[in-house]
Amino acid sequence: MMSIRQRREIRATEVSEDFPAQEENVKLENKLPSGCTSRRLWKILSLTIGGTIALCIGLLTSVYLATLHENDLWFSNIKEVEREISFRTECGLYYSYYKQMLQAPTLVQGFHGLIYDNKTESMKTINLLQRMNIYQEVFLSILYRVLPIQKYLEPVYFYIYTLFGLQAIYVTALYITSWLLSGTWLSGLLAAFWYVTNRIDTTRVEFTIPLRENWALPFFAIQIAAITYFLRPNLQPLSERLTLLAIFISTFLFSLTWQFNQFMMLMQALVLFTLDSLDMLPAVKATWLYGIQITSLLLVCILQFFNSMILGSLLISFNLSVFVARKLQKNLKTGSFLNRLGKLLLHLFMVLCLTLFLNNIIKKILNLKSDEHIFKFLKAKFGLGATRDFDANLYLCEEAFGLLPFNTFGRLSDTLLFYAYIFVLSITVTVAFVVAFHNLSDSTSQQSVGKMEKGTVNLKPETAYNLIHTILFGFLALSTMRMKYLWTSHMCVFASFGLCSPEIWELLLKSVHLYNPKRICIMRYSVPILILLYLCYKFWPGMMDELSELREFYDPDTVELMNWINSNTPRKAVFAGSMQLLAGVKLCTGRTLTNHPHYEDSSLRERTRAVYQIYAKRAPEEVHALLRSFGTDYVILEDSICYERRHHRGCRLRDLLDIANGHNASLGTLVTATGAGQGRDDGWPRRE
């Protein structure tokens, strides 16, 4: 088993450039040098300072995470085979294609090897560019070949530094989103500090570098920042077009780099649908965003050789259904409160039925079964019936797919993030309910979003979008621990925005009859500054200790296995075993596999279940026949599976196989994971 062992000794505040003309801003402007030129200089100075801080803190975060990775593994000193083994499970599989492209004599041969691959799944030729999201590995391998850096930088470092560089972009995008929402870069600084101090719950990049989400989430954060700016009223036509271009590019790159993009963007589409139905954002802008989602997915579909899983996604069916329902219900936003509420419910029902109908038709036409395991898992997870299905139970028993553990909130509370988030969320949710009720009650209808701002209580479209976004992704994280990284990073943004928002403090102070423009200014700057000081005081010493703690990679058994395979087996030998270990076998030895961890294919899932019969109650002759049907030459049996203690009885791999094979009369012994882990949800050894 892999482990990590101890290494042996050898101020200023600024006025928002685009913020609405609130009373406190007028007071501040009166203190500034008079004249239009002076105000323009102040605006430029504010942008320069805020932008510089954003870039610096992004780069510092990247260096911090890269240093943790180096200190944890002593990556610069270990052998190449040990470096490759450190890319565990599917991470190793993805990295192997980067290595394969670099080892190809020419780029054309490299592409041919990916399109006509017969080593990832034995006795089959598959198109890896169609099956998997590995264009990023292809792009990096081309860059490494073209750039004159081979003499100065090893391929593995070029790869990992790119991922850590994307983390700088990620943090910068979070910073900018918070800045756009609040009108001050101080909130962006607080969001970045919270992201770093809650690192265990906001990212896992330092120990799962090639994971698809680490490529995709920076582009997702850029997209959210661009949408936040796009939803602002009264944008100049050029600014609007450039912002739409930024949204399209970031959405496309997000979709290209992660196979679960369609589910994340479906959540976004639900956000847009909710706000559009409640008249909280302009319908035209929602239409643009729906269209960008569909266009991006279709382009990715073309690049992935018409991947049927994309065409059969719920997102495309949902967005098309919204367009159809709009055409059928042209007077959705007219009438009295009860009238509009009835129309809204009918609209919701129509969109839901159309979505299910379209999706079912598309899947039947394409004979699509690639994502059925996800729906089986969801059905079993939410108690819609017990199941003997091996794939569904395999997910149910994994800690990463269990509920978000309660101790997560304890860690988030230690940094004051959770308290601030609940404070801001409760106020904005209350405002959202008031605004939604007001919009639905407006008998004159045809109310524009701009008119909403003239009321005593208002909610800007960009704020409303981020509110519903954080709520939906919060529910996703609470139900599935692995998805918490989508929520906790946005939690940093939303909490910091609220503490620096003049609207939040104005509403709060008015509710307790203490409203004063000066008090608003004091609160929106003093509270985040005090929290920043607290974070520095409490967490800086611990971060320095963490950076000074030196460890090294230590997994002699796996190293010995890989060396033995390289020395004692033919190059064309076929290996069977667990998905996780076989990914390392492919990366380190280049041998052919029977199965692998990229689970989004129905035939591969059936193949994996057949290979796993080596751990089930089956006759040796039957198992041998199954293995030979895949051309297997060698089988790797693992003690960690045979004598498994990580899962409860009923959730061990051999138990799941017996249940699926019908050897157990009852499912009562099946115990699903409740997510009691500490953040590293993929089985990586925790720090002592």
Side-chain angles (χ1 to χ4, degrees), residues 160-197:
I160 66 173
Y161 286 165
T162 300
L163 267 300
F164 288 125
L166 282 176
Q167 283 296 302
I169 296 175
Y170 190 17
V171 174
T172 303
L174 298 177
Y175 178 109
I176 291 172
T177 305
S178 185
W179 185 0
L180 289 171
L181 287 169
S182 67
T184 171
W185 52 258
L186 185 61
S187 68
L189 183 62
L190 181 57
F193 264 66
W194 263 332
Y195 179 86
V196 174
T197 53

Side-chain angles (χ1 to χ4, degrees), residues 508-579:
L508 188 65
L509 291 174
K510 280 184 176 179
S511 65
V512 293
H513 307 291
L514 292 174
Y515 171 74
N516 185 291
K518 286 186 178 180
R519 288 197 183 103
I520 292 176
C521 188
I522 291 171
M523 295 302 291
R524 71 179 294 220
Y525 291 119
S526 62
V527 171
I529 288 173
L530 288 173
I531 292 176
L532 285 169
L533 292 173
Y534 167 79
L535 293 176
C536 291
Y537 172 77
K538 184 171 182 179
F539 293 98
W540 182 261
M543 291 171 65
M544 293 300 100
D545 290 341
E546 194 175 31
L547 288 172
S548 63
E549 189 174 2
L550 304 178
R551 301 166 181 259
E552 72 174 307
F553 176 89
Y554 185 70
D555 188 6
D557 294 339
T558 307
V559 172
E560 184 181 2
L561 171 65
M562 300 305 170
N563 289 335
W564 184 90
I565 292 173
N566 276 320
S567 303
N568 297 280
T569 64
R571 291 288 300 173
K572 294 185 179 181
V574 178
F575 279 80
S578 68
M579 297 182 288

Side-chain angles (χ1 to χ4, degrees), residues 390 393-394 397 609 612-618 638-664 669-670:
F390 173 74
N393 286 332
L394 192 64
C397 287
R609 178 180 166 185
Y612 278 6
Q613 297 303 313
I614 57 179
Y615 297 109
K617 296 176 182 177
R618 297 286 295 272
E638 300 174 58
D639 287 346
S640 59
I641 297 177
C642 294
Y643 308 110
E644 185 176 0
R645 292 188 178 91
R646 189 165 68 94
H647 292 115
H648 295 287
R649 182 179 178 85
C651 261
R652 298 170 299 186
L653 179 60
R654 59 184 186 272
D655 297 333
L656 300 182
L657 289 165
D658 292 338
I659 291 171
N661 293 337
H663 293 160
N664 285 23
T669 59
L670 185 65

Side-chain angles (χ1 to χ4, degrees), residues 123-321:
M123 303 184 74
K124 285 184 68 175
T125 298
I126 61 174
N127 186 342
L128 293 169
L129 293 178
Q130 179 189 52
R131 180 81 72 82
M132 304 182 191
N133 297 71
I134 57 170
Y135 270 102
Q136 49 267 52
E137 276 75 22
V138 173
F139 177 71
L140 272 195
S141 64
I142 294 173
L143 267 187
Y144 188 78
R145 281 173 174 267
V146 172
L147 296 175
I149 57 175
Q150 289 88 347
K151 293 182 180 179
Y152 315 105
L153 195 64
E154 296 176 63
V156 66
Y157 275 106
F158 182 65
Y159 187 92
I160 66 173
Y161 286 165
T162 300
L163 267 300
F164 288 125
L166 282 176
Q167 283 296 302
I169 296 175
Y170 190 17
V171 174
T172 303
L174 298 177
Y175 178 109
I176 291 172
T177 305
S178 185
W179 185 0
L180 289 171
L181 287 169
S182 67
T184 171
W185 52 258
L186 185 61
S187 68
L189 183 62
L190 181 57
F193 264 66
W194 263 332
Y195 179 86
V196 174
T197 53
N198 291 282
R199 176 181 56 81
I200 291 176
D201 296 300
T202 54
T203 183
R204 51 178 178 168
V205 66
E206 76 271 20
F207 58 92
T208 58
I209 294 175
L211 211 60
R212 301 300 83 178
E213 68 188 50
N214 295 328
W215 285 97
L217 291 186
F219 300 119
F220 192 53
I222 293 172
Q223 184 219 44
I224 293 171
I227 290 175
T228 300
Y229 185 76
F230 175 69
L231 294 179
R232 285 184 165 190
N234 305 319
L235 284 181
Q236 294 296 322
L238 179 61
S239 297
E240 189 168 272
R241 285 194 291 269
L242 290 175
T243 307
L244 281 171
L245 179 62
I247 294 171
F248 170 72
I249 293 173
S250 56
T251 304
F252 169 71
L253 292 174
F254 171 68
S255 304
L256 188 66
T257 52
W258 197 14
Q259 68 268 30
F260 296 129
N261 59 74
Q262 53 180 289
F263 302 105
M264 303 307 109
M265 289 200 294
L266 178 62
M267 303 287 283
Q268 280 192 317
L270 291 173
V271 174
L272 296 173
F273 177 76
T274 302
L275 297 177
D276 183 27
S277 300
L278 297 175
D279 208 17
M280 288 186 174
L281 60 78
V284 174
K285 291 191 174 184
T287 303
W288 271 108
L289 296 175
Y290 286 135
I292 286 174
Q293 286 187 331
I294 294 176
T295 306
S296 299
L297 271 189
L298 291 179
L299 281 176
V300 171
C301 181
I302 293 170
L303 283 175
Q304 290 195 271
F305 297 82
F306 297 95
N307 186 319
S308 59
M309 188 174 174
I310 297 175
L311 293 174
S313 66
L314 276 173
L315 175 66
I316 291 179
S317 300
F318 177 80
N319 286 5
L320 291 176
S321 299

Side-chain angles (χ1 to χ4, degrees), residues 616-624:
K617 296 176 182 177
R618 297 286 295 272
E621 296 79 12
E622 294 178 2
V623 176
H624 181 266

